[in-house]
Each structure stands twice: as structure tokens, then as C-alpha cells.
Amino acid sequence: MKAVTLYRPVTIEKALNDFDRYMESFFGESPLTPASYSREPAVDIRETGDAYVLEAELPGYDEKNIEVHVDGGVLTIETKKEEKAERDVSPSKDGKESEERYLIRERRSAIFSRSFKLPENADLDAIAANFKNGLLSLEIKKMAEAKKRVIQIQGK
């Protein structure tokens, strides 16, 4: 297998997330959906002659919120962006507490984890990451493949 594939372990959590997504597609946000509902970023993966390139759109994040790791041939991108509570009681400049609350709330925190099964020829020690303008780019080098060679048979 020489392609990067989406890694989706079968778990009860995944089944529940799929159900929530299904309900949301019909009724908007489901009452079963937690406040920190995970929305997965758009990802493009392409292959060049000597590497696989994965690009993930992560607007609103910075390098401190993103973690990329490889474990057993599975590449995982995780992030957590803190979300303010619906009501935030915080001290004002004069030292008195003031209450801040949302009147309209359309932006939510995006906590997510996406995993991809890497092909056998991916060099797990040669992965480079770059983050610029909300775009995470990962270059996963390919290992040099063993070349086929002809072995001469000698007679007596």
C-alpha cells in the first residue's frame, strides 16, 4: 500500500459522534452535542516523487495550540483551543468584578483529533512541519525503495 489513508478506529465514541453529526445535519445543533463539539478541519494530501504532503486548514490557531505526533505508523494532528464560558465573571480595570456574557454566539471552540495511517514507505523520522497563515503543512519523506537487481547465475 503506497497511499496515506484516513485512520478511523472503531469506537463507541466515533459512533456517537457520527450520530450527532447525522442529527445536526437535519436539525441544526443536536441537544446531545457537547459545547466543545469537534469539527474536523479540511485536509488535502498529495504525493510527489519523494514525499507525501499533507495540508490542513487551521484558521484561528497558532503553533502553540497544535500537536502532531506519529505512533506505530499513524500520524495524528490534535489541537485544543480554549473556549470562554457562556458567562465570564472577571475583574475589571478598577478591581471590581464585572460579568460578561455573549449576546450572539456563532463561533465555537474547535477541539479535534485526526489520524492518518501512513504507507509503509513513509520515513517516520523525516517528517517536517510548517505552519503559516492558518495552514499546517506536513512533508512526509519517502524511504528509498530497494531497487530490483539481476543476480547473475554462474555455471561450473
Side-chain angles (χ1 to χ4, degrees), residues 136-149:
L136 174 66
S137 298
L138 300 173
E139 183 179 40
I140 305 151
K141 294 283 187 187
K142 295 179 183 177
M143 288 191 287
E145 294 185 33
K147 293 183 180 180
K148 181 178 176 181
R149 65 184 181 114

Side-chain angles (χ1 to χ4, degrees), residues 85-104:
E86 289 296 320
R87 293 179 178 268
D88 183 24
V89 178
S90 56
S92 63
K93 291 179 184 176
D94 59 1
K96 296 179 183 176
E97 285 188 357
S98 65
E99 184 176 313
E100 180 181 291
R101 65 185 176 90
Y102 286 94
L103 300 175
I104 296 174

Side-chain angles (χ1 to χ4, degrees), residues 36-134:
S36 61
Y37 180 64
S38 161
R39 298 196 191 277
E40 295 179 341
V43 173
D44 291 335
I45 301 172
R46 65 183 192 278
E47 182 178 5
T48 65
D50 61 344
Y52 300 98
V53 179
L54 183 147
E55 295 176 327
E57 291 179 350
L58 302 170
Y61 290 95
D62 58 25
E63 304 87 48
K64 293 174 269 186
N65 300 114
I66 303 166
E67 181 179 313
V68 179
H69 55 87
V70 178
D71 185 20
V74 176
L75 176 93
T76 301
I77 302 169
E78 295 179 321
T79 188
K80 182 172 184 177
K81 188 174 179 183
E82 292 300 321
E83 178 177 307
K84 283 188 173 182
E86 289 296 320
R87 293 179 178 268
D88 183 24
V89 178
S90 56
S92 63
K93 291 179 184 176
D94 59 1
K96 296 179 183 176
E97 285 188 357
S98 65
E99 184 176 313
E100 180 181 291
R101 65 185 176 90
Y102 286 94
L103 300 175
I104 296 174
R105 181 115 189 233
E106 295 179 343
R107 297 182 307 148
R108 292 280 183 185
S109 138
I111 299 167
F112 72 87
S113 175
R114 289 203 66 184
S115 297
F116 301 89
K117 176 124 178 63
L118 296 174
E120 292 177 13
N121 68 338
D123 187 350
L124 304 182
D125 296 323
I127 299 175
N130 184 28
F131 188 79
K132 185 175 181 183
N133 297 331

